[in-house]
């Protein structure tokens, strides 16, 4: 078996027809999955991906599909499409945002619930109307039992930790991680050692706190590197997936996993970014 030198981790937030930032339309999402399927890709579980980082071989064309936060549109659109194409994904939940109540309708089931754009989701969450836009535990349970989504922690409240006063910050981080673990344990009967930083924001001194809380695999929003055997599990790279069709998406995946072209591309993007900052 040819094994993968690099496994790209794809990062999604929303799959919805509502236009906005960090959103992929259902049509483009389907095209992206179709591209992956046509080109023989396999989606890994987080446990498979951990094996890859630890030096155990995984299939040549492997990817890890991840979602952040836990929006309702992940149930309405992403879940049925992933299932249709035979892929699985990991979802990092903001555990205090997940609601109670019956499952809502999803693609293929008649009248679908409203799934607003990102800014509107943020507005409703701030206004206390979290259930309008976020998943419920019943939906989480259904997707989990179906083997399409696995669920991990993305903190308890998604608070920007850098906005907390420095003297309280580390205590707060430890408490959030603990609450998030407790919630997953209570609701799902288990909690993993995979964790995604809220807003991708973290300082070096948060890492030992996350590790002490029981998280070993820490997912960032940094795209400028490749996940190879031996890559530090405390700094997993993820590539944000834009709202683009199958072909453009395919080129991005090809570059991200190419052991020669990927690092050159990443250096070029970093260089471009540093030039923008100095303008
Ligand atoms: Zn997030």
């Amino acid at each position: 078996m040819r094994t993968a030198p690099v496994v790209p981790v794809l990062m999604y937030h929303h799959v919805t027809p509502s236009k906005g930032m960090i959103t992929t339309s259902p049509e483009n999402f389907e095209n992206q999955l179709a591209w992956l399927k046509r080109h023989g890709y396999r989606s890994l579980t987080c446990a498979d991906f951990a094996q890859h980082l630890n030096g155990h071989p995984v299939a040549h064309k492997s990817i890890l599909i991840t979602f952040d936060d836990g929006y309702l549109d992940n149930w309405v659109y992403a879940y049925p499409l992933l299932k249709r194409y035979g892929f699985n994904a990991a979802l990092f939940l903001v555990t205090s945002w997940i609601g109670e109540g019956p499952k809502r309708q999803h693609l293929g089931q008649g009248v679908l619930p409203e799934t607003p754009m990102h800014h509107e989701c943020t507005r409703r969450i701030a206004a206390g109307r979290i259930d309008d836009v976020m998943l419920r535990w019943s939906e989480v349970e259904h997707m989990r039992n179906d083997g399409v989504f696995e669920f991990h922690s993305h903190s308890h409240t998604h608070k920007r930790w850098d906005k907390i006063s420095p003297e309280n910050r580390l205590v707060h981080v430890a408490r959030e991680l603990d609450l998030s673990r407790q919630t997953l344990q209570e609701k799902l009967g288990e909690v993993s050692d995979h964790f995604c930083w809220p807003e991708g924001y973290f300082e070096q001194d948060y890492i030992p706190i996350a590790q002490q809380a029981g998280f070993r695999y820490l997912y960032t929003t940094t795209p400028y590197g490749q996940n190879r055997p031996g890559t530090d599990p405390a700094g997993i790279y993820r590539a944000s997936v834009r709202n683009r069709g199958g072909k453009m998406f395919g080129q991005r995946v090809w570059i991200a996993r190419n052991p020669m072209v990927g690092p050159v591309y990443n250096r070029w993007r970093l260089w471009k970014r540093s030039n923008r900052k100095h303008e």
Side-chain angles (χ1 to χ4, degrees):
M1 180 180 87
R2 281 177 82 197
T3 58
V6 174
V7 175
V9 181
L10 308 179
M11 173 175 68
Y12 290 93
H13 284 80
H14 298 276
V15 175
T16 167
S18 307
K19 293 201 168 39
M21 60 182 286
I22 54 173
T23 297
T24 306
S25 69
E27 191 192 2
N28 276 339
F29 186 62
E30 180 162 12
N31 285 335
Q32 293 170 1
L33 296 179
W35 186 92
L36 290 171
K37 197 179 166 85
R38 205 163 55 242
H39 290 86
Y41 279 83
R42 220 191 96 203
S43 53
L44 299 185
T45 62
C46 285
D48 297 330
F49 177 69
Q51 292 277 55
H52 162 72
L53 295 182
N54 292 325
H56 300 278
V58 294
H60 187 56
K61 286 185 168 179
S62 294
I63 42 137
L64 176 63
I65 303 171
T66 69
F67 282 78
D68 283 8
D69 302 344
Y71 296 102
L72 170 60
D73 58 62
N74 297 176
W75 159 254
V76 177
Y77 296 99
Y79 160 62
L81 289 169
L82 285 163
K83 189 176 162 78
R84 188 182 297 170
Y85 284 85
F87 288 112
N88 57 278
L91 210 161
F92 296 101
L93 292 175
V94 179
T95 44
S96 73
W97 286 354
I98 308 307
E100 302 295 341
K103 289 174 274 188
R104 288 157 284 190
Q105 310 247 64
H106 64 61
L107 204 61
Q109 289 185 326
V111 182
L112 301 178
E114 179 204 11
T115 51
M117 62 183 282
H118 184 70
H119 284 308
E120 179 60 15
C121 289
T122 306
R123 200 187 66 78
R124 295 221 195 155
I125 290 164
R129 293 173 59 188
I130 302 174
D131 186 56
D132 286 4
V133 294
M134 300 307 292
L135 291 170
R136 293 176 178 171
W137 289 108
S138 55
E139 292 152 354
V140 166
E141 195 62 48
H142 184 107
M143 295 190 280
R144 185 167 169 252
N145 290 340
D146 211 14
V148 175
F149 270 108
E150 54 180 296
F151 295 90
H152 306 280
S153 174
H154 188 39
S155 85
H156 197 56
T157 67
H158 211 256
K159 192 172 268 171
R160 277 285 297 270
W161 290 336
D162 56 318
K163 305 246 164 100
I164 298 165
S165 65
E167 61 273 20
N168 297 327
R169 196 176 293 161
L170 296 184
V171 174
H172 179 94
V173 170
R175 190 172 145 66
E176 275 230 26
L177 296 179
D178 207 40
L179 278 171
S180 187
R181 285 187 78 86
Q182 275 176 32
T183 308
L184 288 170
Q185 184 65 48
E186 187 186 311
K187 295 292 185 181
L188 305 179
E190 62 178 11
V191 55
S192 78
D193 51 2
H194 295 259
F195 174 78
C196 176
W197 299 112
E199 313 232 2
Y201 178 84
F202 68 100
E203 295 286 348
Q204 287 305 312
D205 54 357
Y206 300 179
I207 293 174
I209 292 178
Q211 288 166 335
Q212 275 154 29
F215 295 112
R216 178 167 147 73
Y217 298 93
L218 307 177
Y219 294 74
T220 71
T221 51
T222 305
Y224 308 109
Q226 292 184 315
N227 302 302
R228 297 165 177 258
T231 295
D232 183 3
I236 294 165
Y237 300 105
R238 292 192 303 163
S240 176
V241 179
R242 304 256 188 88
N243 188 22
R244 46 171 65 139
K247 205 170 163 205
M248 285 276 282
F249 164 83
Q251 284 168 0
R252 183 71 186 90
V253 170
W254 184 87
I255 291 169
R257 62 185 281 280
N258 189 295
M260 309 291 286
V261 179
V264 176
Y265 177 77
N266 288 332
R267 277 200 297 276
W268 173 70
R269 280 187 63 193
L270 266 172
W271 174 79
K272 249 179 51 170
R273 198 180 72 154
S274 68
N275 274 7
R276 261 204 313 275
K277 272 188 183 159
H278 295 139
E279 269 167 15

